[in-house]
Amino acid sequence: MRFFQNANYPFLQWRKRAYLVTAALLVMGIGSMIYHSLKGEGWLNYGVDFTGGTVVQVHFNQPVTAQHLRDATSAAGHSDWEITQFGGENDYTVRTPRFGQEAGQDAQSRVRQALSTRFQPAQYTIVRTEAVGPKAGAELEQRALIAILLSFAAILVYLAARFEWRFALAAVIATVHDIVVTLGFLALTRTEISLGTVAAVLTVVGYSMHDTIIVFDRVREDLGKPRHGRTFLDILNKAINETLPRTTLTVATVMATLLALLAFGGPVIFGFALVLVLGIAIGTFSSIFVASPVLYEIERHFPRKEKKEQAVRSHSARRPNGNRPPTARRAEVPR
């Protein structure tokens, strides 16, 4: 990509501004989670896959709106039912929070009874009825958390073995940042969390990690070459600029596909596409402005051994001949 062929942007010099953006995103997301938890709504808007309940899909033979259905169910005393457009223009799902063994025909009967306050039976058709128990939902939530933690552990071990522990730690911190910020957006917008959403979050973990590894691999290559006066910060900037064409092309092509899915995919995959769009945008940001700055801070506070030895040699070279280190003077003392 010729536009970024000779890019030389000082990304690391902009890291303090990026810290402010990251802090604002984290405060906004975590604050939204705490706010909704204190209200008793749950820190995330878990769907029926996790909370348990019954979903009845209804197809109408004539144009109706979600508000018409909400008026009908509220008139029947079920104002807590969730009405969502699903699939076609006249297809809706009615989600009831209660779950019981009667979730089959009885759930359909309750929905029909509620809709009878406004609609005739000939105006609609019950397409399907699904029920998920709360115990199954809790197990799904636990397994999703375990899957994410195991992925972190595997990534940490792989990067520590393939690169160094400091690269692994920086990559995991950046990935945790991506997940927390993405969940913060979902909490703020109250997007329903389904199994598809969990799959999208795991996909974001893989994408963000891959993007970070591309930059870190270039850093590792440069560290093995003569530095010619370049600092670690210069090496990080060079690695980001060299991978910028690849990052731009990849993000642009993936985003084009995801935005098309988001716009025309319909409500079935809306949550999945939304999480991917958010996650990939946040992951690209973090690979440049979170992972590399974290690696720089780790290197600055915990320099590698060769850097320590180089610093000692430079310090010794600046000393006068008569002021050598104590260990060197003791070695020259005759017995």
Side-chain angles (χ1 to χ4, degrees):
M1 195 171 187
R2 294 184 178 179
F3 186 70
F4 295 117
Q5 188 174 9
N6 298 313
N8 188 25
Y9 298 105
F11 291 105
L12 268 293
Q13 280 80 350
W14 299 337
R15 65 185 184 279
K16 293 184 179 178
R17 301 175 190 174
Y19 291 162
L20 294 177
V21 175
T22 299
L25 294 175
L26 291 176
V27 168
M28 182 176 61
I30 295 174
S32 178
M33 294 178 193
I34 295 174
Y35 172 75
H36 289 293
S37 295
L38 294 177
K39 287 182 65 178
E41 299 174 349
W43 65 294
L44 289 174
N45 182 24
Y46 284 114
V48 68
D49 294 335
F50 293 92
T51 61
T54 305
V55 176
V56 178
Q57 183 178 351
V58 186
H59 172 73
F60 285 85
N61 303 324
Q62 59 185 18
V64 294
T65 65
Q67 189 59 43
H68 291 156
L69 272 69
R70 293 191 184 98
D71 293 340
T73 55
S74 298
H78 302 295
S79 58
D80 58 336
W81 288 6
E82 294 185 8
I83 312 295
T84 308
Q85 190 175 15
F86 181 87
E89 185 178 357
N90 297 321
D91 288 323
Y92 293 89
T93 58
V94 181
R95 174 188 164 186
T96 64
R98 292 173 50 195
F99 172 79
Q101 299 300 325
E102 74 281 2
Q105 294 297 323
D106 186 74
Q108 295 185 19
S109 301
R110 288 189 287 125
V111 171
R112 288 182 184 279
Q113 184 179 4
L115 295 180
S116 64
T117 59
R118 188 181 181 98
F119 303 98
Q120 297 296 324
Q123 292 180 280
Y124 62 87
T125 305
I126 301 294
V127 178
R128 65 183 174 95
T129 302
E130 293 182 359
V132 178
K135 184 178 179 180
E139 292 178 356
L140 287 173
E141 183 179 2
Q142 184 180 11
R143 290 180 182 181
L145 180 61
I146 291 174
I148 292 175
L149 292 179
L150 287 179
S151 67
F152 280 159
I155 290 167
L156 196 63
V157 171
Y158 169 74
L159 289 182
R162 183 70 175 80
F163 297 89
E164 293 179 45
W165 67 267
R166 65 195 72 240
F167 288 86
L169 182 59
V172 168
I173 289 175
T175 307
V176 171
H177 160 274
D178 299 344
I179 293 178
V180 173
V181 173
T182 302
L183 293 180
F185 270 110
L186 297 179
L188 189 65
T189 58
R190 302 305 290 168
T191 302
E192 185 175 288
I193 306 299
S194 63
L195 290 179
T197 309
V198 176
V201 171
L202 291 175
T203 304
V204 168
V205 170
Y207 181 90
S208 174
M209 188 60 64
H210 180 262
D211 210 29
T212 302
I213 288 176
I214 293 295
V215 177
F216 282 0
D217 191 52
R218 191 61 60 92
V219 173
R220 184 177 60 91
E221 289 179 1
D222 285 348
L223 287 175
K225 300 176 182 176
R227 296 194 179 186
H228 301 296
R230 292 181 303 160
T231 64
F232 190 72
L233 188 142
D234 296 331
I235 292 175
L236 287 175
N237 272 330
K238 182 174 180 290
I240 296 173
N241 280 289
E242 288 178 347
T243 56
L244 199 58
R246 175 259 171 204
T247 302
T248 306
L249 284 174
T250 303
V251 171
T253 51
V254 173
M255 277 293 185
T257 305
L258 291 178
L259 290 175
L261 287 177
L262 193 65
F264 306 109
V268 178
I269 59 173
F270 180 83
F272 180 80
L274 178 64
V275 172
L276 285 180
V277 168
L278 290 175
I280 288 176
I282 296 168
T284 305
F285 172 84
S286 73
S287 65
I288 298 174
F289 292 110
V290 177
S292 297
V294 168
L295 180 61
Y296 173 73
E297 296 295 338
I298 294 174
E299 178 70 17
R300 196 161 66 92
H301 291 86
F302 305 98
R304 286 171 297 167
K305 185 178 179 181
E306 61 178 17
K307 188 173 181 180
K308 289 181 178 177
E309 293 175 346
Q310 185 179 5
V312 170
R313 287 197 299 271
S314 301
H315 185 66
S316 299
R318 290 195 297 270
R319 286 172 176 268
N321 293 334
N323 295 330
R324 293 182 180 180
T327 53
R329 289 202 306 270
R330 283 198 298 270
E332 293 177 359
V333 174
R335 297 182 177 179

